[in-house]
Amino acid sequence: GGAAPLRLQYLLEPLHPTVHTRRGATATLPCVLRALPRNYRVKWSKVEPANYRENVIIITNGLYHKNYGPLSPRVRLRHSHRYDASLTITDVALEDEGRYRCQLVNGLEDESVSLTLHLEGVVFPYQPSNGRYKFNYHEAKRACEQQDSRLATYQQLYKAWTEGLDWCNAGWILDGTVHYPIINSREPCGGRLLLPGVRSYGARDKQKDRFDAFCFTSALQGSQVYFIRGHLNFKEAGQACRNHGAAIAKVGQLYSAWKFSQLDRCDGGWLADGSVRYPITTPRERCGGLPDPGVRSFGFPSKEMRTYGTYCFVGK
């Protein structure tokens, strides 16, 4: 009901409510009892931002447990002692990011603790080859997934803005709202008078309204992106990577290598979506001339052009 939350009787307040992890790692969300009630259940669930629903992940009564939902094959209870109801997630995926709840169900006296799983990652704006503002929500979601990423959450976009993301085109994020992050206020981007910030268009029609996408990706342990030089057309670029036992890199994989492996190259290279980009960590004069680090784009040249090399991705 609306009463003030009861002080926790059985569950310990977590020491660190946020658990930091990376994709492919194993992460444990702590939930520990200070006493065992006579007959109780512990229920783990995840709060989904796209629809504010809570999806049950696992229920235990201390002896037996049952897993639910898409996380099922990758979750278990840590159970390192009889008071331990912590949740362990193996092979952490992008969609595991978010808020989790550990709830003790004990007759009338339910109590719960909230934890956040935070992935170290990078946010990038994405538009397709046919220009800006082409995606409805569902297409934006699919586009990010095809680039080895997913639609960013508001928290992820906000953090990226504090770290320097400055982008004039509005894009969808995971909860179905539309935003754009501005650091340098300027004329075409809402004018000079508006303060810097994450500007918001609010919730939009997921079918009809069209914008770009803000994608989020995270480093994958044991993977690598590298450049092959040459004068390759798009088809030859893919083949060159396959000859090395690799695959042509996706946009998210290049951003990840730029952010987490400091990949720094002045050479335009083909990527899986048909775009040509290059990652710069140390800006210099003859490298596009822009003052800030970033992944630069030559857009989507004709696939027959033999001007560029290719970026390849090799997984673990």
Side-chain angles (χ1 to χ4, degrees):
L6 294 168
R7 222 178 60 71
L8 294 175
Q9 287 177 293
Y10 292 107
L11 295 177
L12 291 174
E13 204 48 76
L15 284 172
H16 304 289
T18 300
V19 173
H20 294 263
T21 186
R22 279 211 183 162
R23 191 151 57 138
T26 296
T28 297
L29 298 164
C31 186
V32 176
L33 300 156
R34 68 175 68 156
L36 298 177
R38 281 249 318 272
N39 44 23
Y40 71 96
R41 294 199 317 270
V42 169
K43 179 169 101 182
W44 275 99
S45 54
K46 180 165 194 266
V47 186
E48 293 302 343
N51 47 22
Y52 301 109
R53 275 219 297 272
E54 282 203 20
N55 296 335
V56 177
I57 297 168
I58 202 165
I59 295 178
T60 180
N61 64 2
L63 290 171
Y64 305 104
H65 67 269
K66 186 164 164 43
N67 292 17
Y68 298 86
L71 262 172
S72 196
R74 295 190 290 113
V75 292
R76 55 185 161 81
L77 292 163
R78 181 174 66 181
H79 216 69
S80 52
H81 53 85
R82 54 194 285 244
Y83 297 102
D84 184 15
S86 303
L87 181 75
T88 295
I89 303 174
T90 54
D91 198 13
V92 167
L94 292 173
E95 58 271 19
D96 299 344
E97 163 111 8
R99 239 180 65 237
Y100 291 78
R101 204 153 74 95
C102 174
Q103 185 182 14
L104 178 82
V105 184
N106 172 35
L108 300 170
E109 305 185 46
D110 290 7
E111 54 184 62
S112 68
V113 294
S114 250
L115 294 132
T116 299
L117 187 65
H118 174 82
L119 263 76
E120 296 305 322
V122 55
V123 170
F124 61 95
Y126 188 74
Q127 44 183 232
S129 56
N130 54 351
R132 71 194 274 261
Y133 292 0
K134 298 294 189 215
F135 294 137
N136 71 19
Y137 174 81
H138 307 286
E139 292 160 346
K141 191 166 177 292
R142 203 157 52 240
C144 289
E145 284 160 10
Q146 284 168 351
Q147 295 313 315
D148 190 44
S149 56
R150 76 189 286 237
L151 278 176
T153 63
Y154 183 79
Q155 283 78 5
Q156 288 164 345
L157 182 63
Y158 187 88
K159 184 168 183 286
W161 167 73
T162 66
E163 291 168 1
L165 184 60
D166 180 72
W167 193 251
C168 210
N169 297 335
W172 293 102
I173 62 170
L174 189 61
D175 63 10
T177 58
V178 172
H179 308 265
Y180 64 105
I182 293 293
I183 288 169
N184 309 308
S185 297
R186 51 201 187 275
E187 244 355 286
C189 309
R192 276 160 216 222
L193 300 173
L194 277 177
L195 288 171
V198 177
R199 311 257 175 85
S200 178
Y201 286 15
R204 292 292 167 168
D205 185 317
K206 290 182 174 178
Q207 293 293 346
K208 290 200 197 76
D209 287 332
R210 298 193 171 267
F211 297 97
D212 291 346
F214 285 106
C215 305
F216 170 84
T217 192
S218 171
L220 191 57
Q221 289 185 337
S223 67
Q224 197 200 348
V225 171
Y226 59 91
F227 180 75
I228 295 179
R229 58 173 66 253
H231 296 281
L232 310 167
N233 67 27
F234 178 68
K235 218 166 141 185
E236 292 162 346
Q239 193 54 54
C241 291
R242 286 194 294 278
N243 294 348
H244 283 74
I248 188 166
K250 297 175 174 179
V251 178
Q253 291 163 343
L254 185 66
Y255 268 92
S256 206
W258 164 75
K259 171 95 173 179
F260 295 105
S261 311
Q262 282 70 56
L263 189 62
D264 181 278
R265 283 215 71 118
C266 220
D267 308 276
W270 290 104
L271 295 177
D273 65 342
S275 65
V276 170
R277 302 175 199 244
Y278 62 102
I280 297 292
T281 39
T282 315
R284 42 209 185 275
E285 241 343 279
R286 37 165 214 86
C287 259
L290 288 166
D292 299 315
V295 173
R296 315 265 192 260
S297 174
F298 286 123
F300 295 83
S302 153
K303 290 189 169 170
E304 299 312 312
M305 261 180 83
R306 285 203 169 89
T307 315
Y308 306 106
T310 182
Y311 287 97
C312 304
F313 172 83
V314 57
K316 41 178 180 176

